Amino acid sequence: MTTVHNTTPQYPFTAVVGMADLRLALLLNAVSPAVGGVLVRGEKGTAKSTAVRALSALMPAVDVVGGCRFACAPDAPDPGCPDGPHGTGAVEERPTRMVELPVGASEDRLVGALDIERALSEGVKAFEPGLLADAHRGILYVDEVNLLHDHLVDLLLDAAAMGASYVEREGVSVRHAARFLLVGTMNPEEGELRPQLLDRFGLTVEVAASREPDERVAVVRRRLAYDADPAGFAAEWAAEEDALRGRIAAARELLPRVTLGDAALRQIAATCAAFEVDGMRADIVMARTATALAAWAGRTDVLEEDVRQAALLALPHRRRRNPFDAPGLDEDKLDQTLEEFGADENADGDDDPEPDGPDGGPDGGGPDGGGPEGGGQPPQDGGPEEAPLPPEAELPHQQDREAPQTPQAPEPAPEPESAPQGGAAGEKAAVGATEPFRTRRLDVPGLGEGADGRRSRARTAHGRTTGARRPQGALGKLHLAATVQAAAPHQRSRGRSGRGLVVRRDDLREAVREGREGNLVLFVVDASGSMAARKRMSAVKGAVLSLLLDAYQRRDKIGLITFRGTGAELALPPTSSVEAGAARLEQLPTGGRTPLSEGLLKAHEVLRVERMRDASRRPLLVVVTDGRATGGPEPVVRAARAARLLAGEGTASVVVDCEAGPVRLGLAGELARELQGTAITLDELRADSVSALVRTVQGNRKAA
């Protein structure tokens, strides 16, 4: 089921403990859907989904045209509604819908599907609505939004921005309204969204489990009470829920009367310029958010604290410049900017012509972090239409914020099972990486069928058309010429008498397309004593960091294995989080012997498990080493045997040769031959290198 129907009462929104930023962001979108939705980022088990689902019970009921599948409003029906035109039919009242988009949803399930057979033979636009139609005038919730295919995220955000969904198949087009509150949740350890997709979410919130024992106790007690008696627990919180519901309605009514003065608007523009955000979307979102904050606080003017709070919610995810930078905002810089431009405005009284407009904050400065009205807090003498919130649901004071602008170093992936070999003889501390560079593309040979990406050739849903075939399941992209060619020989036997073409389902052909897929790039990094020279290890880390950045841009999953001393460890299980890979690489110490065979065998085991999880995602093994093998009995023989094991299973591989010095043994080249892969040097890895051609990982497999 994708549309949530409450068979048992939802967990009350006002019963959520802590999570002040998340609750505020959701409530602001409930007051003003034009804010643009919320992206909730945080570790697993932090009640992200619980809070989002609880919001639906607070939303006011909506009136819809009776029988309309697209939830048209009776007083302003969509003129382009596929079920229209609507007359003066019955009016139905229904609760606000909460629609969930599953990670594995298809494009047709999201936007709807056209009956191509009827469209070609009868000229009828037979349209089956999708989830975007179900979510119109409601909430669309996307859990694990970072795991959706990129083209689905594009469609989703385009509809959210335009307020309409367009479905086109071979010249047949259907449009319907699709205005909804978009909420996405994600766990950063499973990968990031592209920056251009992050920018499409109005607000973002970082959530983490509280480290305060009392707060954690409250969470557990309330959850156990709810699980034991959902109806009774909901009844206990009914008064608080009604109060909050009334406050949302009052803020919605007040919103059109809120004034955004020139002083506040100048602060918004100055803040966006100071933090160097791209484009103008941030300015618009900040303006809408600040206006919603004022309405939520029961005011008709926007104050400096509203601008500050809006910046903390709307800017952190827009400042990212590469996948290794944690999102966040420098609050000292924010306060300095607000004070500077607030003071300028106050010094020039003619800049704000509206007598009741904001003055940019008291004394022209930002809040001190402890004022009672900071962060959109309503004044104590608010209007009579405001309903007080219980202590757990009060808006956050500035000092109560779990500041997203100061995240901890990214460590989203679970710790490896085996403890690191700290304290081993000859171990050296981790060294920093050199600056990353643009690498050459390394491809997996052949034609895959994995998830859309940008690395290796594959049959995909998007790309250039290379042929046609009978549909395998639901019809995807119609190949019109092949369909007509299949139907043409049967027109006389089918009794064709007019100009129309008689088309049957067996005639339909879908296009076969070729694009590129994302792969599983598994790094096996030599961290032994032979690699421990400071300059060499810095260069190696810089190269791996560059490959990680390349994997991020090409939509790959990554994994990291390191070997040194007496064994190998899986430092990072396969994930889409390149940040996690960069963090593990930064902490990598070196020293000890070179158990090359252990590293290759660990790679074989990881790839075996991943093949069972996702057989369509092809692996690319990247071994970063100088080729030496020491430690244990017959280390060279065992390494060669492990390499042949990987080659025998068809694993595409490349060896990055890190050997340095005037005398080179060529051991990395021998390892590449055993792997039936390719060896390249660190210099050849660079895209701007003049010493190498574009390299594709070739198996070098020849018939015996």
Side-chain angles (χ1 to χ4, degrees), residues 513-571:
R513 294 172 172 267
E514 182 178 315
R516 292 198 173 271
E517 67 179 359
N519 298 110
L520 167 59
V521 182
L522 183 60
F523 295 93
V524 180
V525 180
D526 186 347
S528 65
S530 65
M531 304 282 289
R534 179 169 295 273
K535 288 186 178 180
R536 185 196 295 191
M537 200 61 202
S538 292
V540 168
K541 285 189 175 183
V544 178
L545 198 65
S546 303
L547 289 168
L548 285 171
L549 181 59
D550 181 69
Y552 167 80
Q553 294 169 340
R554 300 191 188 281
R555 316 289 181 262
D556 296 319
K557 288 182 68 176
I558 62 164
L560 177 64
I561 293 171
T562 63
F563 60 93
R564 65 188 182 93
T566 60
E569 64 173 334
L570 180 58

Side-chain angles (χ1 to χ4, degrees), residues 242-290:
D242 288 341
L244 190 56
R245 192 177 294 110
R247 186 173 172 186
I248 292 173
R252 281 188 168 192
E253 183 178 349
L254 182 63
L255 184 66
R257 304 199 300 273
V258 175
T259 300
L260 179 65
D262 289 346
L265 191 55
R266 181 175 174 82
Q267 285 183 317
I268 289 171
T271 301
C272 292
F275 286 100
E276 300 180 353
V277 297
D278 296 329
M280 296 297 297
R281 184 175 284 118
D283 303 63
I284 296 171
V285 171
M286 272 192 66
R288 290 171 174 168
T289 305

